[in-house]
Amino acid sequence: MSFPVVIHHNPDCGTSRNVLGILQAAGYTPVVIDYLKEGWTRPQLLALFAAANVTPREGLRISRTPAEEMGLTAAGVTDDQILTAMVAHPILVNRPIVCTPKGVRLCRPSEVVLDLLDRTPPGPLAKEDGQLIIDAEGRRLF
């Protein structure tokens, strides 16, 4: 039985690289979608956000994006306005978003991806910064 995994990935993002590393360490070969190159569609974002149970505002990346300069963090901005901006500027979507048969999640922090998998990577496993997330006995530390 297959267990498909898709990651909407930004290779310049440490959290996204950590999630991809966790997936690979668990033995998966995920479909990697570089959304900065591929872009987004409105229906795609609506489906991903609904499946992940987040609103467009919750899915908006503010750090190191033009979101504030574009006025997207203001109280009166609608979901429709945020979605329009996300389609035009893919960097505005927070990442990584991972899809598996167990669900869809915005995987921040990176270790939440473990909840979407049907097997855990062997330990020890650490993030890029050295923070251990699975110990030598294979126990999750988060």
Side-chain angles (χ1 to χ4, degrees):
M1 182 172 96
S2 70
F3 192 85
V5 178
V6 176
I7 178 173
H8 297 270
H9 177 63
N10 177 349
D12 295 329
C13 171
T15 301
S16 198
R17 288 191 307 270
N18 283 325
V19 169
L20 182 58
I22 292 167
L23 294 170
Q24 292 168 334
Y28 297 101
T29 304
V31 172
V32 179
I33 299 172
D34 182 339
Y35 67 86
L36 292 178
K37 291 181 181 174
E38 300 294 327
W40 300 103
T41 67
R42 178 182 297 277
Q44 177 187 34
L45 287 172
L46 286 169
L48 287 170
F49 289 158
N53 197 30
V54 297
T55 66
R57 184 172 295 277
E58 292 167 335
L60 178 65
R61 179 159 177 89
I62 298 166
S63 173
R64 293 185 292 265
T65 75
E68 288 182 331
E69 296 86 47
M70 295 174 73
L72 297 173
T73 59
V77 176
T78 66
D79 284 352
D80 188 59
Q81 290 171 306
I82 292 171
L83 286 165
T84 297
M86 288 173 164
V87 170
H89 306 279
I91 193 69
L92 293 170
V93 178
N94 215 342
R95 73 274 186 170
I97 299 172
V98 176
C99 310
T100 79
K102 287 190 165 190
V104 176
R105 297 271 308 261
L106 172 59
C107 292
R108 299 187 77 81
S110 58
E111 55 272 12
V112 303
V113 73
L114 295 169
D115 297 332
L116 295 176
L117 306 180
D118 67 348
R119 62 181 176 260
T120 303
L125 183 66
K127 297 182 187 183
E128 286 182 355
D129 66 4
Q131 181 183 24
L132 204 60
I133 59 173
I134 298 176
D135 68 15
E137 288 75 40
R139 291 182 300 244
R140 288 176 61 170
L141 302 176
F142 293 92

